[in-house]
Amino acid sequence: MASTNSNKGRAVVLSAACVTMFFISSIALYSVVSKNLLAVYPEWSSALTWAFPVFQTIMAVTGIFAGRISDKIGPRNVVIAAAVCYGLGWFMSGTVTEPWQFYLWFSLVAAIGNGLGYNPALTTGQKWFIDKKGLASGITLAASTAGPAVLSPVLASLLIPSLGIFGALKALGVIFFVTIAASALFLKAPEAGWLPEGFEAPKGGAHAGTFGDLTPGEMVKTPRFWV
């Protein structure tokens, strides 16, 4: 596919990225989770104050390194690791009996999974659509916003009433692992030098931006980074 500059198969990669983004963006379900969790353990109200901010911090820090790791070992391997961490984190959150356990499984393990999966999925789709980066980004980000919109009512109206909050968390863990791991099997970065059929790379390289291809160190020296 890469050697012939064929566009064949790149829609499959983008679709797989969308599936990953759809399910891994389900962190927005936390509002539903916390409400029902505190209904069982109301005394945890103050203890869980930092659960979501800690999740976001761990996710962001992990995401910084996820892209570089993906470039070295491939997005498929990184997203499979994300599926394991994310699915395990949600599943084990359904077994907690103490606040610190929730921080361990949700705010740490699930957050690492989220950080590992988000950037590789998004950027892999973009790499196959360097001729239509805006479109590819828009589609994958739309999938990430559609995920919580679809899954929130499923969690609140179906899973929790049927399984209880802890059973619902376990079910989500299984769902997230299966769907993200399955989508990861179709994620693959294009080979070096690959270009879409009929596309001519602009001066500075196909993936170069306004400032050209930059290393992280070079990036922080540009005014746009600080803005």
Side-chain angles (χ1 to χ4, degrees):
M1 179 164 55
S3 60
T4 59
N5 284 11
S6 171
N7 292 341
K8 182 180 180 181
R10 66 176 183 165
V12 174
V13 177
L14 183 62
S15 298
C18 287
V19 171
T20 298
M21 297 287 282
F22 181 94
F23 287 100
I24 213 160
S25 297
S26 53
I27 176 55
L29 298 177
Y30 179 74
S31 59
V32 178
V33 170
S34 60
K35 176 183 177 181
N36 286 273
L37 191 61
L38 292 177
V40 178
Y41 293 116
E43 66 274 17
W44 290 10
S45 180
S46 59
L48 295 185
T49 300
W50 291 95
F52 189 62
V54 171
F55 180 104
Q56 290 181 307
T57 302
I58 298 297
M59 171 196 70
V61 172
T62 306
I64 293 174
F65 302 98
R68 178 167 293 185
I69 297 172
S70 177
D71 289 339
K72 291 183 178 180
I73 68 174
R76 179 180 302 167
N77 295 323
V78 177
V79 176
I80 288 176
V84 173
C85 292
Y86 200 60
L88 180 64
W90 280 83
F91 183 90
M92 292 303 296
S93 294
T95 68
V96 302
T97 57
E98 298 290 341
W100 69 266
Q101 296 171 340
F102 188 76
Y103 276 92
L104 171 64
W105 294 114
F106 183 82
S107 300
L108 178 61
V109 177
I112 290 174
N114 188 289
L116 286 175
Y118 192 96
N119 286 345
L122 177 63
T123 57
T124 299
Q126 291 176 334
K127 288 177 180 178
W128 283 101
F129 284 84
I130 55 176
D131 54 334
K132 301 177 181 178
K133 278 188 177 180
L135 176 63
S137 298
I139 292 174
T140 49
L141 291 175
S144 72
T145 56
V150 173
L151 294 175
S152 290
V154 171
L155 175 62
S157 302
L158 179 61
L159 293 181
I160 292 177
S162 301
L163 304 174
I165 179 59
F166 296 108
L169 287 170
K170 292 177 183 178
L172 286 175
V174 173
I175 292 171
F176 293 153
F177 169 73
V178 171
T179 54
I180 296 172
S183 67
L185 299 178
F186 298 92
L187 289 177
K188 178 183 178 182
E191 295 180 12
W194 177 87
L195 294 175
E197 186 176 359
F199 177 75
E200 294 185 8
K203 185 178 180 181
H207 300 278
T210 302
F211 296 94
D213 291 310
L214 304 178
T215 65
E218 293 170 335
M219 177 188 69
V220 299
K221 295 178 181 179
T222 65
R224 181 169 295 185
F225 170 82
W226 294 103
V227 172

